Amino acid sequence: MRKHRTPEQWQTLVDQQRASGLSAPQFCKQEKIGYASFCNWRKRLSDPSTDESSGPGEADFLDLSSLMGNSPSSGPGWNIVLSLGNGVELRLSQNG
């Protein structure tokens, strides 16, 4: 039976292999992990261009402090909608 692992679990295994001093094939044999799967995840986790959370040209961080205004007289008035995918949205509003 195949075991489904999360990206976090694969990252832990990759870190453990690096710290173990064993080669990847030796580590996979010892841990009963498929070598091809291990190599695929190791590459996937080390290559930020394959990150599914952000596509080309998208920022990982957006500074929203400019929306706050520099003076108390600028007042509220911002409304932020983050589309997280699969129809999920996070809506932020400021009242009064």
Side-chain angles (χ1 to χ4, degrees), residues 48-56 58-60 83-85:
S49 67
T50 60
D51 185 3
E52 297 170 6
S53 65
S54 62
E58 292 184 76
D60 291 329
S83 296
L84 304 174

Side-chain angles (χ1 to χ4, degrees), residues 3-10 13 31-34 41:
K3 182 176 182 179
H4 177 75
R5 291 181 175 88
T6 65
E8 292 78 17
Q9 289 170 321
W10 279 109
L13 288 168
E31 297 296 319
K32 297 178 177 62
I33 301 169
W41 275 100

Side-chain angles (χ1 to χ4, degrees), residues 14 18 37-50:
V14 168
R18 286 186 183 132
S37 294
F38 179 83
C39 290
N40 181 27
W41 275 100
R42 181 176 57 186
K43 181 180 186 319
R44 195 177 194 181
L45 293 167
S46 68
D47 186 357
S49 67
T50 60

Side-chain angles (χ1 to χ4, degrees), residues 81-91:
V81 178
L82 299 174
S83 296
L84 304 174
N86 294 328
V88 177
E89 292 183 343
L90 174 62
R91 296 176 180 268

